[in-house]
Amino acid sequence: MTVTEVTISDVRAAAERIAGYVVRTPLLPAPWAPGDLWLKAESLQPMGAFKLRGATNAVHLLDPSVRSRGLLSHSSGNHGQAIAWAAREVGIPATIVMPAAAATIKVEAVRALGADVVLVPNDERESTVDALRLERGAAVIHPFDDVRVISGQGTLALEILDDLSEIDTVLVPVGGGGLISGVGVAVKAVSPSTRVIGVEPELAADARESLSSGRLISWDPSLTYRTIADGTRAPQLGKITFPLIQETVDEIVTVTEEEILAAVATTIRRARLVAEPSGVLSVAAYLADPGRFGRSVAVLSGGNIDSGVLKHALTV
């Protein structure tokens, strides 16, 4: 597989397709940070995260006859909310398989949007989706390893490049790789000299290890579930996202749990934006070493933070 799995034409078509369904989020300066930092505030999407882009694109690409049988997916939270939101917009049912350890706020949010939630042990998420698909004939939308989802996520990069010129670095949180692979395709097509740098927790650094070794490496969930950044606990990149990352991403760096919590607090206090631990990884990386990135855009990917985590971040 190569970068041709997803092209800039796919991303631009997705941008036209989802216009009017998602928010064109602001690119905000961060004058309180050293150097030259800007924040792409995807936390301001109506369901609180960038995932709405990919979910909306995928849903609208489904044949109506397939779509009418309902949607299935698995998610730790934000993708589930995005699928539930997109399904509600077109009037079809959705079922989201979620890990039993998912943040309560995210489980409740998926249910509030009208989707059914099936809670299972983390290692049974995909097998449960497969069983439900066979039973119901519903359409499955993978949370990250899906060209429709990847193309949709990449649309936020088009907005960044339209709003700001001469960007040295775009910093992107990494979980399963759907966001950074879409961003990488768009950035390298439009501004090839701009670096695309992924950020993940030290405690869930499978993507960094995969990129540096040149092969897909999986981490046991008992390791990835140590991080507070719940959106990055996928044990490995996808079979589609990994080759795209190899083609378009310059580097993947890691941050500590302490740096993540500090970035949550700083983003709230200085930028007046609420971000969850997974969503603030890019800010954490920039603040840890602002001198190395130049003029940077940090993708603030989500704001659906658990109240207990929020309290902890503001008191440490």
Side-chain angles (χ1 to χ4, degrees):
M1 293 181 182
T2 70
V3 73
T4 56
E5 285 280 3
V6 179
T7 69
I8 186 62
S9 295
D10 296 322
V11 178
R12 286 178 170 144
E16 294 183 8
R17 193 173 294 116
I18 68 177
Y21 295 96
V22 305
V23 172
R24 192 187 196 284
T25 55
L27 185 64
L28 303 171
W32 44 268
D36 191 357
L37 175 65
W38 295 72
L39 304 178
K40 180 60 171 171
E42 285 295 292
S43 54
L44 299 180
Q45 289 294 347
M47 47 63 58
F50 76 94
K51 292 280 192 177
L52 187 60
R53 296 174 181 270
T56 299
N57 189 51
V59 168
H60 283 266
L61 279 170
L62 288 170
D63 184 273
S65 63
V66 174
R67 199 166 66 183
S68 65
R69 296 197 292 267
L71 302 178
L72 272 171
S73 194
H74 65 85
S75 170
S76 62
N78 285 339
H79 174 72
Q81 291 180 64
I83 291 293
W85 183 286
R88 188 181 66 175
E89 290 294 294
V90 296
I92 57 176
T95 298
I96 310 298
V97 177
M98 302 183 71
T104 301
I105 186 175
K106 293 184 177 181
V107 175
E108 292 176 348
V110 172
R111 287 177 172 148
L113 288 167
D116 292 329
V117 173
V118 178
L119 295 174
V120 300
N122 182 63
D123 59 359
E124 296 179 13
R125 287 163 60 174
E126 294 201 27
S127 61
T128 301
V129 168
D130 289 341
L132 291 172
R133 176 182 58 81
L134 291 173
E135 175 187 314
R136 303 177 183 180
V140 175
I141 298 176
H142 195 276
F144 55 85
D145 215 29
D146 183 311
V147 295
R148 302 164 300 182
V149 170
I150 293 166
S151 300
Q153 317 304 29
T155 61
L156 71 85
L158 296 180
E159 296 173 8
I160 290 170
L161 295 165
D162 188 49
D163 288 345
L164 188 66
S165 61
E166 299 179 3
I167 303 168
D168 295 311
T169 306
V170 179
L171 291 155
V172 188
V174 181
L179 174 59
I180 195 169
S181 54
V183 169
V185 168
V187 169
K188 293 305 182 180
V190 178
S191 181
S193 63
T194 298
R195 290 175 294 170
V196 178
I197 295 182
V199 189
E200 62 184 347
E202 282 186 353
L203 298 183
D206 59 283
R208 181 185 64 173
E209 190 174 347
S210 295
L211 186 61
S212 63
S213 69
R215 61 188 179 90
L216 192 58
I217 291 175
S218 178
W219 280 32
D220 191 279
S222 65
L223 298 177
T224 63
Y225 266 69
R226 296 173 299 166
T227 181
I228 198 170
D230 61 312
T232 67
R233 291 172 179 165
Q236 67 176 40
L237 299 169
K239 293 180 180 179
I240 298 173
T241 62
F242 180 48
L244 289 169
I245 288 169
Q246 288 181 297
E247 294 265 2
T248 66
V249 174
D250 296 277
E251 183 183 1
I252 295 177
V253 301
T254 63
V255 290
T256 67
E257 299 298 289
E258 293 75 18
E259 288 168 338
I260 295 169
L261 287 169
V264 170
T266 298
T267 303
I268 291 171
R269 291 174 175 144
R270 304 302 301 275
R272 278 52 174 191
L273 291 169
V274 176
E276 62 192 277
S278 304
V280 82
L281 291 172
S282 52
V283 176
Y286 181 89
L287 294 178
D289 192 6
R292 67 170 295 204
F293 298 116
R295 171 177 259 196
S296 301
V297 173
V299 177
L300 203 66
S301 61
N304 296 314
I305 189 168
D306 178 82
S307 59
V309 174
L310 175 60
K311 181 179 180 180
H312 180 49
L314 293 175
T315 55
V316 293

